[in-house]
Short mmCIF file of all heavy atoms in Angstrom, two decimals:
data_model
loop_
_atom_site.label_atom_id
_atom_site.label_comp_id
_atom_site.label_asym_id
_atom_site.label_seq_id
_atom_site.Cartn_x
_atom_site.Cartn_y
_atom_site.Cartn_z
N MET P 269 -16.66 16.80 35.56
CA MET P 269 -16.46 15.62 34.76
C MET P 269 -16.34 16.05 33.29
O MET P 269 -17.18 16.77 32.78
CB MET P 269 -17.65 14.68 34.94
CG MET P 269 -17.51 13.39 34.21
SD MET P 269 -18.80 12.26 34.79
CE MET P 269 -18.96 11.28 33.36
N PRO P 270 -15.29 15.57 32.57
CA PRO P 270 -15.12 15.99 31.18
C PRO P 270 -16.18 15.36 30.28
O PRO P 270 -16.69 14.28 30.55
CB PRO P 270 -13.73 15.48 30.82
CG PRO P 270 -13.44 14.39 31.77
CD PRO P 270 -14.20 14.73 33.04
N ASP P 271 -16.48 16.07 29.24
CA ASP P 271 -17.48 15.59 28.29
C ASP P 271 -16.88 14.45 27.46
O ASP P 271 -15.84 14.59 26.85
CB ASP P 271 -17.92 16.74 27.38
CG ASP P 271 -19.06 16.33 26.47
OD1 ASP P 271 -19.63 15.26 26.69
OD2 ASP P 271 -19.36 17.09 25.55
N VAL P 272 -17.55 13.31 27.44
CA VAL P 272 -17.05 12.14 26.72
C VAL P 272 -17.11 12.37 25.22
O VAL P 272 -16.28 11.89 24.47
CB VAL P 272 -17.86 10.89 27.12
CG1 VAL P 272 -17.40 9.67 26.33
CG2 VAL P 272 -17.72 10.63 28.61
N LEU P 273 -18.09 13.11 24.76
CA LEU P 273 -18.27 13.33 23.34
C LEU P 273 -17.60 14.63 22.89
O LEU P 273 -18.12 15.33 22.04
CB LEU P 273 -19.77 13.36 23.01
CG LEU P 273 -20.53 12.08 23.33
CD1 LEU P 273 -22.01 12.26 23.08
CD2 LEU P 273 -20.00 10.93 22.50
N SER P 274 -16.46 14.93 23.45
CA SER P 274 -15.75 16.14 23.07
C SER P 274 -15.17 16.00 21.66
O SER P 274 -15.16 14.92 21.09
CB SER P 274 -14.63 16.45 24.06
OG SER P 274 -13.71 15.40 24.06
N GLY P 275 -14.67 17.09 21.12
CA GLY P 275 -14.15 17.10 19.75
C GLY P 275 -12.96 16.18 19.57
O GLY P 275 -12.26 15.82 20.51
N GLN P 276 -12.73 15.81 18.32
CA GLN P 276 -11.62 14.92 18.01
C GLN P 276 -10.30 15.65 18.17
O GLN P 276 -10.20 16.84 17.92
CB GLN P 276 -11.74 14.42 16.58
CG GLN P 276 -12.94 13.56 16.32
CD GLN P 276 -12.98 13.11 14.87
OE1 GLN P 276 -12.29 13.65 14.02
NE2 GLN P 276 -13.81 12.13 14.59
N LYS P 277 -9.29 14.90 18.53
CA LYS P 277 -7.95 15.46 18.63
C LYS P 277 -7.07 14.96 17.50
O LYS P 277 -5.87 15.02 17.57
CB LYS P 277 -7.35 15.08 19.98
CG LYS P 277 -8.11 15.67 21.14
CD LYS P 277 -7.34 15.52 22.41
CE LYS P 277 -8.02 15.93 23.57
NZ LYS P 277 -8.64 16.64 24.27
N THR P 278 -7.70 14.44 16.46
CA THR P 278 -6.96 13.94 15.31
C THR P 278 -7.17 14.90 14.13
O THR P 278 -7.73 15.98 14.28
CB THR P 278 -7.45 12.53 14.94
OG1 THR P 278 -8.84 12.59 14.66
CG2 THR P 278 -7.21 11.54 16.07
N GLU P 279 -6.75 14.47 12.97
CA GLU P 279 -6.87 15.29 11.77
C GLU P 279 -8.34 15.56 11.46
O GLU P 279 -9.20 14.74 11.75
CB GLU P 279 -6.23 14.57 10.58
CG GLU P 279 -4.74 14.35 10.74
CD GLU P 279 -3.96 15.64 10.70
OE1 GLU P 279 -4.34 16.55 9.93
OE2 GLU P 279 -2.99 15.75 11.45
N PRO P 280 -8.62 16.69 10.84
CA PRO P 280 -10.02 16.96 10.47
C PRO P 280 -10.48 16.00 9.37
O PRO P 280 -9.67 15.44 8.63
CB PRO P 280 -9.98 18.39 9.96
CG PRO P 280 -8.56 18.62 9.59
CD PRO P 280 -7.74 17.77 10.51
N ASP P 281 -11.78 15.83 9.27
CA ASP P 281 -12.33 14.92 8.27
C ASP P 281 -12.01 15.44 6.87
O ASP P 281 -12.09 16.63 6.59
CB ASP P 281 -13.84 14.79 8.42
CG ASP P 281 -14.20 14.01 9.67
OD1 ASP P 281 -13.35 13.25 10.14
OD2 ASP P 281 -15.34 14.17 10.15
N GLU P 282 -11.63 14.50 6.01
CA GLU P 282 -11.37 14.83 4.62
C GLU P 282 -12.29 13.98 3.76
O GLU P 282 -12.91 13.04 4.22
CB GLU P 282 -9.91 14.53 4.27
CG GLU P 282 -8.92 15.36 5.06
CD GLU P 282 -7.49 14.97 4.73
OE1 GLU P 282 -7.30 14.05 3.94
OE2 GLU P 282 -6.59 15.60 5.28
N ASP P 283 -12.36 14.31 2.49
CA ASP P 283 -13.15 13.49 1.58
C ASP P 283 -12.54 12.10 1.53
O ASP P 283 -11.32 11.96 1.45
CB ASP P 283 -13.14 14.09 0.17
CG ASP P 283 -13.92 15.40 0.12
OD1 ASP P 283 -14.81 15.58 0.96
OD2 ASP P 283 -13.62 16.22 -0.77
N PRO P 284 -13.37 11.08 1.58
CA PRO P 284 -12.82 9.72 1.52
C PRO P 284 -12.22 9.45 0.13
O PRO P 284 -12.96 9.32 -0.85
CB PRO P 284 -14.01 8.82 1.80
CG PRO P 284 -15.21 9.65 1.50
CD PRO P 284 -14.80 11.08 1.72
N ALA P 285 -10.92 9.44 0.05
CA ALA P 285 -10.25 9.21 -1.22
C ALA P 285 -10.18 7.71 -1.50
O ALA P 285 -9.88 6.92 -0.61
CB ALA P 285 -8.84 9.80 -1.18
N ARG P 286 -10.45 7.35 -2.72
CA ARG P 286 -10.40 5.94 -3.07
C ARG P 286 -8.95 5.46 -3.06
O ARG P 286 -8.65 4.39 -2.57
CB ARG P 286 -11.04 5.73 -4.43
CG ARG P 286 -11.24 4.30 -4.75
CD ARG P 286 -12.08 4.14 -6.01
NE ARG P 286 -12.28 2.73 -6.25
CZ ARG P 286 -13.43 2.12 -6.11
NH1 ARG P 286 -14.49 2.78 -5.74
NH2 ARG P 286 -13.54 0.83 -6.35
N PHE P 287 -8.05 6.26 -3.59
CA PHE P 287 -6.62 5.94 -3.56
C PHE P 287 -5.87 7.15 -3.05
O PHE P 287 -5.79 8.17 -3.72
CB PHE P 287 -6.11 5.57 -4.96
CG PHE P 287 -6.58 4.24 -5.44
CD1 PHE P 287 -7.54 4.14 -6.41
CD2 PHE P 287 -6.05 3.08 -4.92
CE1 PHE P 287 -7.98 2.92 -6.85
CE2 PHE P 287 -6.48 1.85 -5.35
CZ PHE P 287 -7.45 1.77 -6.33
N SER P 288 -5.32 7.02 -1.87
CA SER P 288 -4.49 8.11 -1.36
C SER P 288 -3.09 7.97 -1.93
O SER P 288 -2.74 6.94 -2.52
CB SER P 288 -4.44 8.07 0.17
OG SER P 288 -3.79 6.89 0.61
N GLY P 289 -2.28 8.98 -1.77
CA GLY P 289 -0.92 8.95 -2.32
C GLY P 289 -0.09 7.84 -1.71
O GLY P 289 0.62 7.11 -2.42
N LYS P 290 -0.17 7.66 -0.40
CA LYS P 290 0.60 6.60 0.27
C LYS P 290 0.16 5.22 -0.20
O LYS P 290 0.99 4.34 -0.40
CB LYS P 290 0.43 6.70 1.79
CG LYS P 290 1.13 7.88 2.40
CD LYS P 290 0.96 7.88 3.90
CE LYS P 290 1.64 9.06 4.54
NZ LYS P 290 1.48 9.06 5.99
N ARG P 291 -1.14 5.03 -0.36
CA ARG P 291 -1.64 3.72 -0.80
C ARG P 291 -1.18 3.42 -2.22
O ARG P 291 -0.79 2.30 -2.53
CB ARG P 291 -3.16 3.70 -0.71
CG ARG P 291 -3.75 2.36 -1.10
CD ARG P 291 -5.23 2.34 -0.93
NE ARG P 291 -5.55 2.36 0.50
CZ ARG P 291 -6.78 2.33 0.99
NH1 ARG P 291 -7.80 2.33 0.18
NH2 ARG P 291 -6.98 2.34 2.29
N LEU P 292 -1.19 4.43 -3.08
CA LEU P 292 -0.76 4.24 -4.46
C LEU P 292 0.72 3.89 -4.53
O LEU P 292 1.12 2.97 -5.24
CB LEU P 292 -1.04 5.51 -5.28
CG LEU P 292 -0.73 5.45 -6.76
CD1 LEU P 292 -1.59 4.38 -7.44
CD2 LEU P 292 -0.97 6.80 -7.41
N VAL P 293 1.54 4.59 -3.74
CA VAL P 293 2.98 4.29 -3.71
C VAL P 293 3.22 2.89 -3.18
O VAL P 293 4.06 2.14 -3.70
CB VAL P 293 3.73 5.34 -2.85
CG1 VAL P 293 5.16 4.91 -2.57
CG2 VAL P 293 3.70 6.69 -3.53
N ARG P 294 2.47 2.47 -2.15
CA ARG P 294 2.62 1.14 -1.58
C ARG P 294 2.29 0.07 -2.63
O ARG P 294 3.03 -0.89 -2.79
CB ARG P 294 1.70 0.99 -0.37
CG ARG P 294 1.86 -0.32 0.36
CD ARG P 294 0.89 -0.45 1.52
NE ARG P 294 0.91 0.72 2.37
CZ ARG P 294 -0.17 1.26 2.91
NH1 ARG P 294 -1.35 0.76 2.71
NH2 ARG P 294 -0.06 2.33 3.68
N TRP P 295 1.18 0.25 -3.36
CA TRP P 295 0.80 -0.73 -4.38
C TRP P 295 1.81 -0.78 -5.51
O TRP P 295 2.15 -1.86 -6.00
CB TRP P 295 -0.59 -0.42 -4.92
CG TRP P 295 -1.66 -1.03 -4.08
CD1 TRP P 295 -2.49 -0.40 -3.20
CD2 TRP P 295 -2.02 -2.42 -4.01
NE1 TRP P 295 -3.33 -1.29 -2.60
CE2 TRP P 295 -3.07 -2.54 -3.08
CE3 TRP P 295 -1.56 -3.56 -4.65
CZ2 TRP P 295 -3.65 -3.77 -2.78
CZ3 TRP P 295 -2.14 -4.78 -4.35
CH2 TRP P 295 -3.17 -4.86 -3.43
N LEU P 296 2.29 0.37 -5.95
CA LEU P 296 3.29 0.39 -7.02
C LEU P 296 4.58 -0.29 -6.58
O LEU P 296 5.20 -1.02 -7.37
CB LEU P 296 3.58 1.83 -7.46
CG LEU P 296 2.48 2.48 -8.29
CD1 LEU P 296 2.82 3.93 -8.58
CD2 LEU P 296 2.26 1.72 -9.58
N THR P 297 4.98 -0.11 -5.34
CA THR P 297 6.18 -0.76 -4.82
C THR P 297 6.00 -2.28 -4.80
O THR P 297 6.88 -3.03 -5.23
CB THR P 297 6.51 -0.25 -3.41
OG1 THR P 297 6.66 1.17 -3.46
CG2 THR P 297 7.76 -0.88 -2.86
N ILE P 298 4.87 -2.74 -4.29
CA ILE P 298 4.61 -4.17 -4.22
C ILE P 298 4.59 -4.79 -5.61
O ILE P 298 5.20 -5.84 -5.84
CB ILE P 298 3.28 -4.44 -3.47
CG1 ILE P 298 3.43 -4.08 -1.99
CG2 ILE P 298 2.84 -5.88 -3.63
CD1 ILE P 298 2.12 -4.05 -1.23
N LEU P 299 3.91 -4.14 -6.55
CA LEU P 299 3.83 -4.67 -7.91
C LEU P 299 5.20 -4.67 -8.59
O LEU P 299 5.54 -5.62 -9.31
CB LEU P 299 2.83 -3.86 -8.73
CG LEU P 299 1.37 -4.07 -8.35
CD1 LEU P 299 0.48 -3.11 -9.14
CD2 LEU P 299 0.94 -5.50 -8.58
N THR P 300 6.00 -3.63 -8.36
CA THR P 300 7.32 -3.56 -8.98
C THR P 300 8.24 -4.65 -8.44
O THR P 300 8.91 -5.35 -9.20
CB THR P 300 7.95 -2.18 -8.72
OG1 THR P 300 7.07 -1.18 -9.26
CG2 THR P 300 9.31 -2.07 -9.37
N ILE P 301 8.26 -4.83 -7.12
CA ILE P 301 9.12 -5.86 -6.52
C ILE P 301 8.65 -7.25 -6.94
O ILE P 301 9.45 -8.11 -7.28
CB ILE P 301 9.13 -5.71 -4.98
CG1 ILE P 301 9.87 -4.44 -4.60
CG2 ILE P 301 9.77 -6.93 -4.33
CD1 ILE P 301 9.80 -4.10 -3.13
N GLY P 302 7.33 -7.47 -6.96
CA GLY P 302 6.80 -8.76 -7.38
C GLY P 302 7.14 -9.07 -8.82
O GLY P 302 7.53 -10.20 -9.15
N THR P 303 7.01 -8.09 -9.69
CA THR P 303 7.34 -8.29 -11.10
C THR P 303 8.83 -8.57 -11.27
O THR P 303 9.22 -9.46 -12.05
CB THR P 303 6.93 -7.04 -11.92
OG1 THR P 303 5.54 -6.81 -11.74
CG2 THR P 303 7.24 -7.23 -13.39
N ALA P 304 9.66 -7.85 -10.56
CA ALA P 304 11.11 -8.07 -10.66
C ALA P 304 11.49 -9.46 -10.15
O ALA P 304 12.35 -10.12 -10.74
CB ALA P 304 11.85 -6.99 -9.85
N MET P 305 10.85 -9.92 -9.09
CA MET P 305 11.16 -11.25 -8.57
C MET P 305 10.72 -12.34 -9.55
O MET P 305 11.46 -13.30 -9.77
CB MET P 305 10.47 -11.45 -7.21
CG MET P 305 11.08 -10.64 -6.10
SD MET P 305 10.22 -10.80 -4.54
CE MET P 305 10.49 -12.52 -4.20
N MET P 306 9.54 -12.18 -10.15
CA MET P 306 9.08 -13.16 -11.13
C MET P 306 10.00 -13.18 -12.35
O MET P 306 10.36 -14.24 -12.86
CB MET P 306 7.64 -12.85 -11.55
CG MET P 306 6.63 -13.07 -10.45
SD MET P 306 6.54 -14.77 -9.89
CE MET P 306 5.88 -15.55 -11.32
N TRP P 307 10.39 -12.01 -12.81
CA TRP P 307 11.27 -11.91 -13.97
C TRP P 307 12.62 -12.55 -13.68
O TRP P 307 13.18 -13.27 -14.50
CB TRP P 307 11.42 -10.44 -14.36
CG TRP P 307 12.24 -10.23 -15.59
CD1 TRP P 307 11.91 -10.60 -16.85
CD2 TRP P 307 13.52 -9.62 -15.66
NE1 TRP P 307 12.92 -10.22 -17.71
CE2 TRP P 307 13.91 -9.63 -17.00
CE3 TRP P 307 14.38 -9.05 -14.71
CZ2 TRP P 307 15.11 -9.11 -17.43
CZ3 TRP P 307 15.58 -8.52 -15.15
CH2 TRP P 307 15.94 -8.55 -16.47
N ALA P 308 13.16 -12.33 -12.47
CA ALA P 308 14.45 -12.91 -12.09
C ALA P 308 14.36 -14.43 -12.02
O ALA P 308 15.29 -15.12 -12.45
CB ALA P 308 14.90 -12.34 -10.74
N CYS P 309 13.27 -14.96 -11.50
CA CYS P 309 13.12 -16.42 -11.42
C CYS P 309 12.97 -17.03 -12.80
O CYS P 309 13.48 -18.13 -13.06
CB CYS P 309 11.92 -16.78 -10.55
SG CYS P 309 12.19 -16.49 -8.80
N TRP P 310 12.30 -16.37 -13.72
CA TRP P 310 12.14 -16.90 -15.06
C TRP P 310 13.43 -16.82 -15.87
O TRP P 310 13.67 -17.62 -16.76
CB TRP P 310 11.03 -16.16 -15.81
CG TRP P 310 9.65 -16.55 -15.36
CD1 TRP P 310 9.29 -17.75 -14.83
CD2 TRP P 310 8.48 -15.77 -15.41
NE1 TRP P 310 7.96 -17.74 -14.54
CE2 TRP P 310 7.42 -16.56 -14.89
CE3 TRP P 310 8.19 -14.47 -15.84
CZ2 TRP P 310 6.13 -16.08 -14.80
CZ3 TRP P 310 6.89 -14.01 -15.75
CH2 TRP P 310 5.87 -14.80 -15.24
N GLN P 311 14.28 -15.85 -15.56
CA GLN P 311 15.54 -15.72 -16.28
C GLN P 311 16.53 -16.80 -15.87
O GLN P 311 17.24 -17.35 -16.69
CB GLN P 311 16.16 -14.33 -16.02
CG GLN P 311 15.37 -13.20 -16.62
CD GLN P 311 15.30 -13.27 -18.12
OE1 GLN P 311 16.28 -13.56 -18.78
NE2 GLN P 311 14.12 -13.02 -18.66
N ASP P 312 16.61 -17.06 -14.57
CA ASP P 312 17.57 -18.05 -14.06
C ASP P 312 16.85 -18.87 -12.99
O ASP P 312 16.89 -18.51 -11.81
CB ASP P 312 18.80 -17.34 -13.49
CG ASP P 312 19.91 -18.31 -13.14
OD1 ASP P 312 19.87 -19.45 -13.62
OD2 ASP P 312 20.82 -17.91 -12.39
N PRO P 313 16.21 -19.98 -13.36
CA PRO P 313 15.48 -20.75 -12.37
C PRO P 313 16.38 -21.29 -11.27
O PRO P 313 17.59 -21.49 -11.47
CB PRO P 313 14.89 -21.91 -13.19
CG PRO P 313 14.94 -21.45 -14.60
CD PRO P 313 16.08 -20.51 -14.71
N LEU P 314 15.79 -21.52 -10.12
CA LEU P 314 16.57 -21.98 -8.95
C LEU P 314 16.84 -23.48 -9.00
O LEU P 314 17.67 -23.96 -8.25
CB LEU P 314 15.82 -21.62 -7.67
CG LEU P 314 15.61 -20.13 -7.42
CD1 LEU P 314 14.75 -19.93 -6.17
CD2 LEU P 314 16.94 -19.42 -7.26
N TYR P 315 16.15 -24.21 -9.85
CA TYR P 315 16.37 -25.65 -9.92
C TYR P 315 17.43 -25.96 -10.98
O TYR P 315 17.60 -25.20 -11.92
CB TYR P 315 15.07 -26.39 -10.21
CG TYR P 315 14.34 -25.89 -11.44
CD1 TYR P 315 14.65 -26.37 -12.70
CD2 TYR P 315 13.33 -24.94 -11.32
CE1 TYR P 315 13.99 -25.90 -13.82
CE2 TYR P 315 12.67 -24.47 -12.44
CZ TYR P 315 13.01 -24.96 -13.69
OH TYR P 315 12.35 -24.51 -14.79
N PRO P 316 18.16 -27.09 -10.83
CA PRO P 316 19.23 -27.41 -11.78
C PRO P 316 18.74 -27.89 -13.13
O PRO P 316 17.67 -28.28 -13.35
CB PRO P 316 20.00 -28.56 -11.11
CG PRO P 316 19.18 -29.01 -9.98
CD PRO P 316 18.12 -27.99 -9.72
#
């Protein structure tokens, strides 16, 4: 019977980073798109 508590088959443990590179890129993308959308709406509103 195999040992249930065998070693992990995933990446080794790393220091818990507060902001990883992927997370930082994701937040910058969201903020950039959100800012551009707000700026576009303020420049030319959708209402007549």
Side-chain angles (χ1 to χ4, degrees):
M269 183 168 153
D271 186 11
V272 177
L273 299 175
S274 61
Q276 295 179 345
K277 296 192 185 308
T278 59
E279 297 292 324
D281 289 338
E282 297 177 358
D283 292 335
R286 190 170 182 110
F287 288 106
S288 65
K290 288 182 181 181
R291 182 176 290 180
L292 184 62
V293 169
R294 185 182 310 140
W295 274 105
L296 286 176
T297 303
I298 291 169
L299 289 174
T300 302
I301 291 173
T303 303
M305 289 177 64
M306 292 298 293
W307 183 67
C309 288
W310 284 333
Q311 292 297 318
D312 189 17
L314 297 176
Y315 54 86

